[in-house]
């Protein structure tokens, strides 16, 4: 080579490359180049000689010489020098105070004032694990700081490999498991080792590996500037060699290199010099370890190669996952607890075993679900009394009858839009406050359930804010208000008799209708009525008003009052209610001028009327939800900032609920012919779906990391499901167990409604019968209801888990949190029961206690399945009358509950189910 500049540059590059190589490899490389350019080899050899002399002199100057027997700080007696490393000298000493051996490490003089040694002690003392060498204290001798650490009577892994070549297969697996567990313990404390290599791994006489020398370790607060770029190039990840930041993934890469070398006796890359080594790490794909060792365990080989992936995202999510997935790793969650780590979602999904059910327990669980569901079905007619309400005519027939009634009463109104449904009759409920039997269903004015019908010349669009949010925007009897000219509202007895009428006259004219015609339409006999004065003032103009009081042949003891208001001879208002003299106290509660107005003078929609008897209870639940939200918000924000939350699971959960909310609207409506109204409703429901998704996203991110750390088994089946493993046996077991508990809760509620009657207690019967009927009005509404109940079950499960986690954060003990959860929800649920005397024990204590048990024992997925099964049996109308028009909806609820349990058992029991695996690629919300 004639160009001196080019020759100098080549000599410089070769010299720098050879500086990082062992002496044997330097000689081999130089010998290969001698025939090509002997002068270049001589020049580089001279430079290397000067370099080695300087390094040796520097080592001598930087070392500290302590003779055996020297006593330091009146405590440590030197036994022997153990070795000299890049950061300083290490001696074996005897601790004269404790009478135990220890290792004492001095730092190089150039690092003595850097605070590095103190930092190493602070970092290393955070980690306590059998596979990590303990660091005890820090001191100083003649201006030289030192640290004391655990003495390991053995040798380092580098010396062991140099002596025996490679480890036997079983010892390689054990070493891999121990090193991964030690790294997991360090990472759990936010500590990165950054220089994991065979020389920093000690093997004690029992063959146990201990990770030592946290000299350049990095804590959670960040790296010491002194150690930036430090490490051993041969064991550095590609991103570190290119100037990247250290991370748990870089430690895992070093782990893969150490394990490869330990199990095969070979370094995985072929390179000479740092520059070639960096390129090899970046582009070379290591040969499988089995290419060198035939009997290598395939699971160990798989994890070694995964640790050596070039892209950090393709490496295992954590060292804990590696340790738990290796042969003999034991239960992943137990291992996480042992190292003090929070298991990743991937590790949670991999834990818990297969979950397969044997045939006998599966049959027992299935039979239990079947018995509980059938018992709920058989008790439902007596508890809900749907079959006693005389609901013989389907809603379409009742709607046609309502139109005929309007015509009979002189009103020929344009029906641009119509709506109908069912509601509870609060006037009839007042007769049951003393525990008396409900009025006969064939008596006018005495049905506990009324059919309502509305028609209007313009589109009926709900406007009440509460109804839009909680009533899903469905039109009710008073939402929107009956104000448009030409609109009408009728409430009818199931037999077709008129119970309530409101008409807003338009410009049309019609024949005058005698009041007796209106009374006859209500099923009343004028001969049994006495006319009385009235102060009734309807909401619309009227020029004549009249009232009657009397009884009916069907119920002669029941005094009724009928009031008619007319305008130009046609009735514009009619109401039928219990006469005030029957029960003055009860009359005060039902004395509003019309059925849609309470004693506070404010109109309410059908939902408000239905739930008026439990309004205070709902406010307590709303208050609890608001408090939980304000607690969850900062928790979710902090978890996001620290990267602790399962963002992938939260996104999938939020997307699921948002999609379910939107699908429910598509199926059940309301929908309009008017494009503007439909477009506006689309925006409103889309916004509502996004808000609901945001709520559950916040709740999940707030609670999931804490539960994953303290109660990870609660999330195993749930995590497997949301990560795309619906056929996993543990998922099936959760669904099957949930179906059983849900059917049990439904049965308990039926007993709660019947028990006061069996015991002869006075009670105000609570019923959701009219709401059940609304869900069964048509196929679209029914399908949308099933979707809605499913999404609500998931929300309830996450919300209940949040409450349990908050209680756990306060009590610090799962059993105390369960007691607190049971006490809280016993108080809330008992307010919803039929009678306080018994409801505290039925829908209160029994349900609340089993909820907490289900969450802690079987997990979040089982709770969601239980909430869904319970809702199906509660909100769909159950009947044993096969001829009832609503029977199909009720049997659908029964069928879905049994199908959920059967599908779960099939998944958990039959060979077609696939057990959990751990070799997948990993990146790293109960009210009655």
């Amino acid at each position: 080579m004639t160009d001196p500049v080019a020759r100098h540059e080549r000599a410089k590059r070769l010299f720098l490359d050879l500086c990082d190589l062992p002496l044997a490899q330097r000689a081999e490389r130089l010998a290969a180049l001698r025939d090509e350019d002997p002068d270049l080899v001589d020049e580089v050899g001279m430079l290397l000689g000067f370099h080695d002399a300087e390094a040796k002199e520097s080592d001598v100057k930087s070392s500290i010489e302590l003779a055996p027997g020297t006593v330091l700080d009146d405590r440590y007696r030197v036994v022997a020098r153990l070795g000299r490393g890049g950061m300083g000298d290490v001696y074996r000493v005897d601790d004269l105070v404790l009478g135990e051996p220890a290792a004492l490490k001095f730092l190089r003089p150039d690092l003595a004032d850097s605070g590095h040694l103190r930092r190493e002690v602070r970092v290393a003392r955070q980690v306590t694990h059998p596979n990590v060498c303990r660091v005890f204290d820090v001191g100083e001798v003649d201006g030289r700081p030192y640290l004391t650490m655990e003495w390991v009577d053995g040798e380092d892994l580098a010396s062991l490999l140099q002596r025996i070549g490679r480890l036997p297969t079983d010892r390689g697996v054990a070493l891999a498991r121990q090193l991964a567990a030690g790294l997991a313990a360090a990472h759990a404390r936010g500590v990165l080792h950054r220089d994991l290599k065979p020389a920093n791994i000690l093997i004690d006489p029992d063959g146990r590996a201990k990770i030592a020398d946290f000299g350049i370790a990095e804590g959670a607060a960040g790296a010491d500037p002194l150690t930036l770029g430090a490490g051993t190039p041969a064991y550095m990840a590609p991103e570190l060699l290119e100037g990247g930041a250290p991370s748990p993934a870089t430690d895992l890469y070093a782990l893969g290199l150490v394990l490869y070398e330990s199990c095969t006796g070979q370094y995985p890359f072929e390179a000479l010099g740092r520059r070639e080594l960096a390129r090899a790490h970046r582009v070379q794909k290591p040969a499988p370890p089995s290419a060198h060792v035939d009997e290598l365990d395939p699971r160990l080989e798989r994890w070694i190669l995964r640790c050596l992936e070039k892209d950090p995202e393709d490496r295992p999510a954590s060292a804990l996952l590696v340790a738990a997935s290796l042969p003999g790793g034991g239960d992943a969650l137990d291992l996480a607890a042992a190292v003090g780590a929070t298991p990743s979602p991937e590790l949670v999904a991999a834990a818990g075993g297969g979950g397969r059910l044997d045939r006998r327990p599966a049959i027992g669980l299935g039979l239990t679900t079947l018995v509980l569901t059938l018992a709920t079905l058989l008790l439902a007619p007596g508890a809900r009394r749907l079959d006693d309400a005389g609901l013989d005519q389907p809603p379409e027939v009742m709607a046609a009858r309502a139109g005929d009634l309007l015509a009979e009463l002189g009103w020929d109104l344009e029906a641009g839009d119509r709506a109908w449904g069912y509601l509870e009759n609060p006037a009839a409920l007042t007769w049951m406050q003393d525990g008396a039997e409900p009025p006969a269903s064939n008596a006018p004015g005495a049905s506990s359930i009324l059919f309502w019908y509305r028609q209007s010349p313009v589109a009926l669009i709900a406007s009440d804010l509460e109804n839009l949010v909680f009533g899903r925007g469905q039109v009710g009897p008073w939402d929107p208000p009956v104000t448009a000219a030409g609109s009408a509202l009728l409430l009818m007895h199931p037999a077709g008799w008129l119970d309530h009428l409101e008409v807003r006259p338009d410009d049309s004219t019609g024949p005058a209708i005698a009041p007796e015609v209106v009374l006859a339409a209500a099923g009343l006999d004028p001969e049994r009525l006495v006319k009385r004065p009235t102060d009734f003032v309807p909401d619309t103009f009227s020029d004549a008003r009249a009232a009657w009081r009397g009884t009916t042949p069907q119920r002669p003891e029941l005094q009724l009052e009928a009031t008619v208001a007319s305008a130009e001879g046609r009735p514009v208002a009619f109401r039928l209610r219990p006469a005030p003299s029957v029960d003055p106290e009860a009359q005060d509660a039902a004395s509003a001028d019309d059925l849609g107005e309470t004693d506070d003078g404010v109109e309410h929609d059908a939902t408000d009327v239905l739930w008026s008897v439990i309004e205070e209870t709902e406010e307590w639940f709303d208050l609890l939800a608001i408090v939980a939200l304000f607690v969850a918000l900062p928790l979710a924000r902090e978890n996001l900032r620290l990267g602790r939350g399962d963002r992938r699971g939260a996104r999938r959960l939020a997307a699921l609920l948002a999609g379910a909310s939107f699908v429910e609207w598509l199926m059940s409506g309301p929908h309009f012919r008017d494009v503007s109204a439909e477009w506006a409703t689309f925006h409103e429901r889309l916004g509502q779906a996004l808000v609901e998704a945001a709520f559950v996203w916040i709740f999940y991110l707030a609670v999931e990391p804490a539960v994953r750390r303290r109660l990870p088994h609660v999330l195993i089946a749930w995590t497997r499901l949301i990560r795309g493993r619906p056929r996993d046996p543990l998922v099936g077991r959760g669904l099957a167990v949930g179906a059983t508990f849900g059917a049990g809760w439904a049965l308990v509620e039926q007993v709660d409604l019947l028990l006061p009657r069996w015991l002869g207690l006075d009670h105000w019967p609570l019923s959701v019968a009219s709401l059940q009927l609304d869900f069964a009005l048509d196929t679209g509404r029914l399908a949308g209801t099933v979707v809605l109940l499913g999404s609500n079950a998931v929300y309830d499960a996450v919300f209940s888990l949040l409450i349990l986690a908050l209680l756990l954060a306060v009590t610090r003990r799962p059993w105390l949190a369960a007691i607190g959860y049971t006490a809280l929800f016993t108080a809330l649920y008992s307010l919803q029961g039929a009678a306080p005397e018994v409801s505290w024990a039925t829908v209160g204590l029994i349900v609340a206690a089993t909820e907490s048990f289900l969450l802690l024992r079987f997990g979040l997925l089982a709770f969601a399945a239980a909430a869904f099964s319970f809702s199906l049996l509660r909100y769909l109308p159950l009947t044993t009358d096969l001829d009832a028009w609503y029977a199909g909806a009720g049997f659908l609820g029964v069928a879905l509950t049994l199908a959920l349990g059967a599908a779960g058992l099939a998944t958990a029991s039959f060979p077609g189910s696939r057990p959990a695996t751990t070799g997948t690629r990993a990146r790293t919300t109960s009210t009655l």
Side-chain angles (χ1 to χ4, degrees):
M1 180 177 290
T2 58
D3 186 354
V5 176
R7 180 183 182 82
H8 175 73
E9 287 296 328
R10 185 182 181 194
K12 179 181 177 182
R13 287 196 304 269
L14 183 60
F15 165 73
L16 293 176
D17 286 343
L18 296 180
C19 283
D20 294 323
L21 294 181
L23 294 176
Q25 293 188 29
R26 287 187 194 175
E28 181 182 346
R29 179 71 180 272
L30 289 172
L33 290 173
R34 179 166 293 279
D35 293 338
E36 176 185 344
D37 193 341
D39 294 336
L40 176 66
V41 172
D42 291 339
E43 181 180 350
V44 173
M46 182 178 61
L47 292 174
L48 288 172
F50 285 120
H51 171 269
D52 292 341
E54 272 188 25
K56 185 174 182 180
E57 183 181 357
S58 175
D59 286 343
V60 171
K61 291 180 179 179
S62 64
S63 65
I64 182 170
E65 296 294 339
L66 297 176
T70 305
V71 178
L72 306 176
D73 282 349
D74 296 326
R75 178 171 182 176
Y76 301 110
R77 182 173 58 215
V78 175
V79 176
R81 181 199 291 270
L82 296 177
R84 177 179 301 153
M87 307 298 286
D89 301 278
V90 182
Y91 286 85
R92 177 187 170 182
V93 299
D94 287 332
D95 188 332
L96 301 178
V97 175
L98 299 179
E100 294 180 351
L104 190 146
K105 173 181 176 180
F106 286 93
L107 209 63
R108 293 198 333 246
D110 56 321
L111 301 178
D113 297 328
S114 67
H116 185 85
L117 193 63
R118 293 179 179 84
R119 179 181 177 278
E120 179 179 352
V121 174
R122 287 197 303 269
V123 170
R125 287 184 65 174
Q126 299 177 45
V127 186
T128 302
H129 190 267
N131 299 118
V132 174
C133 190
R134 294 288 308 277
V135 174
F136 300 131
D137 204 354
V138 66
E140 187 174 302
V141 173
D142 297 331
R144 293 288 298 274
Y146 66 85
L147 61 84
T148 54
M149 54 190 180
E150 178 183 1
W151 156 252
V152 178
D153 186 12
E155 63 181 321
D156 62 66
L157 181 61
S159 301
L160 179 64
L161 293 177
Q162 187 176 6
R163 182 164 53 85
I164 68 174
R166 69 174 180 87
L167 298 178
T169 298
D170 56 341
R171 287 295 304 133
V173 172
L175 175 73
R177 191 167 57 244
Q178 293 170 8
L179 294 182
L183 272 184
H187 293 172
R189 296 294 181 267
V191 177
L192 306 177
H193 190 282
R194 299 182 61 200
D195 194 24
L196 186 67
K197 57 185 178 182
N200 287 339
I201 297 169
L202 305 177
I203 309 297
D204 68 12
D206 296 327
R208 183 169 57 214
K210 289 180 176 288
I211 302 174
D213 200 354
F214 280 77
I216 61 169
E218 179 178 341
D224 188 329
L226 181 69
T227 67
L228 287 176
T232 304
Y235 297 92
M236 293 174 69
E239 60 269 27
L240 285 180
L241 290 170
E242 295 176 357
S247 68
T250 59
D251 276 355
L252 287 174
Y253 187 86
L255 174 65
L257 291 169
V258 170
L259 295 180
Y260 192 106
E261 190 174 357
S262 301
C263 294
T264 67
Q266 305 287 329
Y267 188 72
F269 301 112
E270 296 180 1
L272 294 175
R274 177 164 182 160
R275 186 169 303 173
E276 291 186 17
L277 187 64
R279 184 178 182 278
H281 280 285
R282 187 172 64 253
V283 300
Q284 285 186 18
K285 184 176 181 179
S290 57
H292 304 285
V293 181
D294 293 335
E295 67 273 16
L296 189 67
D297 189 287
R299 284 174 292 181
L300 176 59
E301 179 179 56
R302 182 168 61 248
W303 285 106
I304 290 175
L305 293 177
R306 285 194 59 194
C307 288
L308 293 178
E309 290 286 353
K310 309 300 182 184
D311 187 348
E313 293 292 332
D314 293 337
R315 297 172 200 155
S318 66
L320 189 59
L321 181 60
V322 177
S325 304
L326 289 169
D331 184 79
L333 301 184
D334 291 341
L335 181 59
V339 303
T342 299
S344 66
E346 292 81 4
L347 188 63
V348 170
R356 194 179 301 277
L357 283 175
D358 293 334
R359 179 175 297 180
R360 185 169 295 177
I363 293 175
L365 192 62
L367 289 177
T368 302
T369 304
L370 178 62
V371 170
L372 292 173
T373 304
L374 292 180
T376 302
L377 175 64
L378 294 175
L379 291 180
R384 296 297 182 191
R385 294 187 176 266
L386 274 179
D387 296 345
D388 297 335
L391 303 168
D392 300 328
Q393 302 298 328
E396 295 81 7
V397 174
M398 294 293 294
R401 171 59 182 159
D404 294 341
L405 271 178
L406 281 175
E408 291 175 14
L409 299 179
W411 295 105
D412 183 16
L413 303 174
E414 178 188 356
D417 196 6
R418 301 192 303 166
W420 57 78
Y422 293 85
L423 81 159
E424 201 121 331
N425 184 1
L429 286 178
T430 61
W431 286 94
M432 303 181 223
Q433 291 183 57
D434 58 358
E437 287 295 314
S441 61
N442 62 343
S447 175
S448 59
I449 296 177
L450 297 175
F451 176 83
W452 63 266
Y453 170 86
R454 290 194 61 175
Q455 71 174 49
S456 172
V458 297
L460 292 167
I461 305 176
S463 59
D464 182 77
L465 179 61
E466 186 175 351
N467 183 27
L468 289 173
V469 176
F470 301 108
R472 319 300 290 183
Q474 297 292 342
V475 174
W478 288 277
D479 185 22
V482 187
T483 56
S487 59
L489 164 67
L490 292 84
L491 305 183
M492 299 168 56
H493 186 281
W497 297 314
L498 182 65
D499 195 271
H500 183 91
L501 172 69
E502 292 182 33
V503 177
R504 298 298 180 263
D506 55 10
D507 295 335
S508 64
T509 59
I513 303 298
E516 289 75 15
V517 175
V518 183
L519 297 177
L524 302 175
D525 182 1
E527 299 296 329
R528 300 179 65 94
L529 302 177
V530 177
K531 196 169 185 177
R532 298 175 59 88
T534 181
D535 57 359
F536 170 59
V537 178
D539 291 337
T540 189
F541 170 78
S542 63
D543 51 24
R545 291 171 293 148
W548 292 263
R549 184 176 296 181
T551 63
T552 62
Q554 300 93 334
R555 196 68 184 263
E557 80 282 4
L558 178 60
Q559 287 285 326
L560 298 173
E561 182 175 271
T563 307
V564 179
S566 303
E568 299 180 355
R570 291 184 295 177
V572 296
F574 172 78
R575 69 177 186 179
L576 185 64
R577 63 177 185 175
S581 60
V582 175
D583 188 344
E585 294 184 2
Q587 186 271 337
D588 290 339
S591 62
D593 286 346
D594 63 40
L595 200 55
E597 187 175 308
T598 59
D599 57 4
D600 58 5
V602 179
E603 286 193 355
H604 294 267
D605 61 19
T607 304
D608 293 321
V609 174
L610 175 64
W611 295 106
S612 60
V613 295
I614 56 169
E615 183 176 355
E616 293 183 1
T617 308
E618 291 300 314
E619 290 179 355
W620 279 108
F621 276 110
D622 292 341
L623 179 61
L624 181 61
I626 292 171
V627 171
L629 176 62
F630 277 97
V631 173
L633 274 171
L635 289 176
R637 180 179 180 274
E638 184 69 5
N639 289 335
L640 280 174
R641 186 182 69 83
L642 298 176
R644 292 190 300 211
D646 180 10
R647 300 189 184 191
R648 180 182 177 188
R651 285 195 304 268
R652 290 188 174 185
L653 181 60
L656 172 67
L657 263 66
S661 178
F662 201 69
V663 168
E664 184 271 332
W665 170 70
L666 291 176
M667 291 180 172
S668 59
H671 298 290
F672 307 96
R673 295 191 184 97
D674 184 272
V675 175
S676 298
E678 184 72 7
W679 187 242
T681 306
F682 168 82
H683 281 84
E684 184 272 325
R685 290 308 297 272
L686 179 60
Q688 184 175 352
L690 294 176
V691 169
E692 292 172 351
F695 269 57
V696 76
W697 183 79
I698 292 171
F699 285 160
Y700 192 74
L701 282 178
V703 68
E704 189 268 344
V707 173
R708 182 157 36 92
R709 177 172 178 81
R710 300 292 301 277
L711 303 170
H713 61 280
V714 171
L715 298 173
I716 297 175
W718 172 264
T719 306
R720 292 184 184 181
L721 178 62
I722 65 175
R723 290 183 177 269
R725 293 159 58 180
R727 297 187 59 201
D728 187 276
L730 200 61
V731 172
R733 190 183 74 170
L735 298 179
V737 170
T740 303
F741 273 78
W745 294 344
L747 180 61
V748 168
E749 189 187 43
Q750 307 290 30
V751 171
D752 177 70
L753 291 170
L754 290 167
L755 197 56
R757 207 173 303 158
W758 294 341
L759 298 177
L761 302 175
D762 295 343
H763 69 287
W764 182 303
L766 172 65
S767 178
V768 292
S770 60
L771 188 60
Q772 293 175 330
L773 296 174
D774 275 352
F775 290 152
L777 286 176
D778 55 67
T779 303
R781 184 80 66 90
L782 180 58
T785 296
V786 172
V787 174
L788 177 65
L789 295 179
S791 63
N792 284 348
V794 174
Y795 179 90
D796 288 346
V798 175
F799 179 77
S800 296
L801 185 61
L802 174 63
I803 299 301
L804 185 66
L806 294 177
L807 291 171
L808 180 61
V810 174
T811 61
R812 302 292 181 180
R813 295 289 186 275
W815 63 273
L816 285 176
I819 291 176
Y821 180 99
T822 301
L824 173 63
F825 283 96
T826 294
L828 292 175
Y829 291 164
S830 61
L831 296 176
Q832 293 183 313
E837 298 93 330
V838 295
S839 294
W840 69 268
T842 52
V843 295
L845 181 60
I846 293 177
V847 173
T850 52
E851 280 187 359
S852 60
F853 171 78
L854 183 63
L855 264 177
L856 290 173
R857 176 63 179 85
F858 294 101
L860 182 64
L861 178 62
F863 191 101
F868 181 52
S869 300
F870 167 71
S871 298
L872 288 171
L873 298 177
R874 187 187 195 223
Y875 290 109
L876 297 183
L878 301 182
T879 179
T880 55
D881 182 4
L882 299 181
D883 295 327
W885 61 266
Y886 49 84
F891 285 117
L892 176 64
V894 171
L896 288 176
T897 300
L898 296 177
L900 181 66
L905 290 175
T907 302
S909 305
F910 297 151
S913 308
R914 291 179 297 178
T917 60
T918 58
T920 56
R921 172 173 172 169
R923 295 180 180 268
T924 0
T925 103
S926 61
T927 59
L928 278 172

